[in-house]
Amino acid sequence: MADVAVVGAGPNGLAAAVVMARAGLDVHLYEAAATIGGGTRTTELIEPGYFHDVCSAVHPMALASPFFKSFELSQRVDLRVPEIQHGTPLDKGGAALAYQSLERTSAELGVDGPAYRRLMAPLLAHVEGVVDFTSNQLLRVPRDPQAALRFGLATLDQGTPFWGRRFREEAAPALLTGVMAHAVSALPSLSATGAGLLLGVLAHAGGWVVPMGGSAAIAKAMADDLLAHGGTIHTGERVDSLDQVRPAKAILLDVAPPTLARLGGGEIPDRYRRALETFRFGNAACKVDYILSGPVPWSAPGLAKAGTVHVGGSRAAIAEAENLVAMGKHPKDPYVLVSQPSLVDPSRAPAGRNILWTYCHVPAGSDVDMAEAVTARIEQYAPGFRDVVVASKTTTPADLAAYNENYVGGDFSAGLVDMRGLLQRPVVSNAPWRTPMPGVYLCSSSTPPGPGVTGMPGYHAAKYALKDIFQAQVPGLGVGL
């Protein structure tokens, strides 16, 4: 039997498997679906020849995550950086645009440019410390205390009802709020602001990259490395009991807390079981994918070069839409997150055609098709958008939950992203990747640092498993090692 069993071949399960295999251990990875990838799958979702990312599409952490840096992902996958990282169309015309250059971004934000620069420049100067602080359990002494302090002060500056004090016009706050709204949270909030500031500073560091060939290229790179180091991948094999993968010495689970409670059965102590069974999930996404006959006809020209567009208008309008979702309502004018992968990856569609990836936030468990609301919202800032739509496909939260057991109620973050949810993920602990069951570790996005394609939950869990079970250190992960 294997030294190590990993259950779930999403990016975190793959990361855990890679680390353990690199340590010279016999690793078996089990995936219930027919293909690996979890949140990093790419498929011909609507028509043959058009390749859509099923979940994640743009990857701000691909160049910044400590795991991906150690793994040297940029040497394994062709990661393209758009000319403009992200943008937000404005109700009064034009758009707020984030370039990789902080100076250019600030210069184009007009009167609020200096204020935006003063907010972001200290974080950019300490970007490695900021990434380290946000890539770990928050209950630890930060390696770079100055970076953590600056990040905390910036979060307080923009994460409370007094968030309007810094800016005088619409563009800069709309630009920031578009990024904060990634967190599926009421606005303003400290948790959403922290997530937004991290993503915002990464846009000015390495950039928000799009993998050539789709997000599946990231999963394939990890799977290839696992196989090259003796690992075995079992697809189409659902694990319903820990006994199925025993007597593996270490078991790493890329699953949500309810699944861990089911797999552990009577082995789980009552107190830990209660934490798993009462773990809080957040609201969800309704995803709409499009095939287009041409590019999106944005009114603001700069948006045509943006890898990501946050459609929502002003800071107040974005916050209103997100707060309606937090109250369990479906916004008439939703905040819509748009990815334009065809800008940098022409292989995703036949010549002359484009694909578009979008979603809006909705209450958990919703089965409402938001395609019309999403289309109308984009049309508001891109007149004629309906005319270039060839086909579309909606994925509701109910569909997301059926697609991936970790997305409870359609929550692709695998857990509510608020301050309590960041600290209690799934329990308050200095090492929440360890479970009370000997040799069993949790490595999903329901552990720190939480959602996003980072590989870090798997990396952390593998680090503890190596130390606890095999008395080994984390091995080198680079291409030439």
Side-chain angles (χ1 to χ4, degrees):
M1 192 64 177
D3 295 317
V4 179
V6 180
V7 178
N12 294 316
L14 284 163
V18 163
V19 173
M20 302 303 274
R22 283 292 194 116
L25 301 169
D26 181 20
V27 178
H28 284 239
L29 174 62
Y30 298 86
E31 170 57 49
T35 58
I36 64 166
T40 51
R41 290 193 180 106
T42 305
T43 186
E44 293 169 301
L45 194 64
I46 303 176
E47 294 180 9
Y50 296 85
F51 295 90
H52 301 263
D53 290 317
V54 180
C55 295
S56 62
V58 180
H59 296 274
M61 290 296 290
L63 299 175
S65 158
F67 168 75
F68 284 138
K69 289 179 74 171
S70 296
F71 186 64
E72 297 181 341
L73 181 67
S74 61
Q75 296 188 37
R76 303 169 188 265
V77 178
D78 187 356
L79 302 173
R80 300 290 177 90
V81 181
E83 181 176 342
I84 296 173
Q85 305 310 302
H86 62 89
T88 304
L90 304 174
D91 290 332
K92 296 179 181 179
L97 304 174
Y99 299 88
Q100 194 167 357
S101 166
L102 176 59
E103 297 300 329
R104 183 175 179 184
T105 302
S106 302
E108 292 193 10
L109 287 175
V111 73
D112 282 331
Y116 178 85
R117 189 185 185 285
R118 286 194 296 272
L119 179 70
M120 302 301 286
L123 305 182
L124 187 61
H126 293 269
V127 65
E128 290 189 4
V130 169
V131 169
D132 176 75
F133 177 64
T134 56
S135 293
N136 286 274
Q137 167 58 281
L138 295 180
L139 298 176
R140 60 189 282 272
V141 176
R143 293 180 183 174
D144 185 342
Q146 188 176 7
L149 175 62
R150 291 178 181 274
F151 184 76
L153 291 174
T155 300
L156 288 172
D157 182 275
Q158 290 296 294
T160 74
F162 301 104
W163 63 346
R165 293 181 300 181
R166 177 176 289 268
F167 302 112
R168 289 181 284 169
E169 295 186 339
E170 180 180 334
L175 186 69
L176 284 168
T177 310
V179 186
M180 294 172 187
H182 281 233
V184 199
S185 171
L187 293 172
S189 72
L190 296 176
S191 55
T193 298
L197 288 172
L198 171 63
L199 295 176
V201 76
L202 291 178
H204 300 308
W208 289 12
V209 303
V210 175
M212 290 292 286
S215 294
I218 296 176
K220 183 179 184 301
M222 289 192 278
D224 287 347
D225 191 82
L226 171 61
L227 295 173
H229 289 84
T232 303
I233 299 175
H234 307 265
T235 55
E237 189 165 337
R238 181 181 176 84
V239 174
D240 290 312
S241 168
L242 296 182
D243 288 339
Q244 284 179 241
V245 295
R246 283 177 169 147
K249 296 176 184 177
I251 301 173
L252 292 89
L253 303 173
D254 184 2
V255 303
T259 304
L260 173 58
R262 176 173 56 81
L263 292 175
E267 298 180 45
I268 301 179
D270 289 344
R271 184 175 179 181
Y272 190 78
R273 175 176 293 280
R274 284 194 295 271
L276 298 180
E277 292 177 343
T278 59
F279 183 76
R280 300 172 309 138
F281 290 91
N283 283 313
C286 181
K287 185 167 178 280
V288 186
D289 289 280
Y290 297 90
I291 293 175
L292 308 180
S293 61
V296 179
W298 299 108
S299 294
L303 296 177
K305 299 178 181 179
T308 301
V309 180
H310 302 121
V311 176
S314 67
R315 163 171 275 185
I318 295 172
E320 180 182 3
E322 292 302 280
N323 291 336
L324 284 171
V325 175
M327 291 186 285
K329 300 178 181 181
H330 293 76
K332 178 185 175 184
D333 297 314
Y335 159 83
V336 180
L337 201 155
V338 177
S339 169
Q340 305 185 102
S342 297
L343 292 182
V344 296
D345 186 359
S347 72
R348 304 287 291 277
R353 295 291 184 97
N354 295 69
I355 62 166
L356 196 71
W357 176 104
T358 79
Y359 73 74
C360 67
H361 298 148
V362 293
S366 170
D367 61 0
V368 174
D369 185 341
M370 294 290 287
E372 173 54 33
V374 169
T375 300
R377 200 70 166 122
I378 297 173
E379 176 89 13
Q380 182 178 346
Y381 301 98
F385 173 66
R386 293 180 187 275
D387 298 332
V388 299
V389 175
V390 174
S392 68
K393 178 179 175 58
T394 301
T395 305
T396 68
D399 297 327
L400 280 174
Y403 162 77
N404 190 326
E405 193 172 320
N406 288 3
Y407 300 163
V408 175
D411 174 13
F412 59 85
S413 298
L416 184 61
V417 181
D418 62 4
M419 291 309 297
R420 175 184 163 191
L422 292 175
L423 292 170
Q424 186 177 338
R425 204 167 183 93
V427 293
V428 178
S429 167
N430 288 328
W433 308 276
R434 289 181 173 130
T435 79
M437 296 175 286
V440 179
Y441 300 81
L442 186 62
C443 67
S444 68
S445 293
S446 299
T447 64
V453 179
T454 66
M456 289 304 295
Y459 189 51
H460 287 306
K463 174 181 68 176
Y464 281 102
L466 285 174
K467 177 183 177 182
D468 297 343
I469 309 299
F470 302 101
Q471 292 75 54
Q473 299 295 317
V474 175
L477 306 176
V479 173
L481 300 176

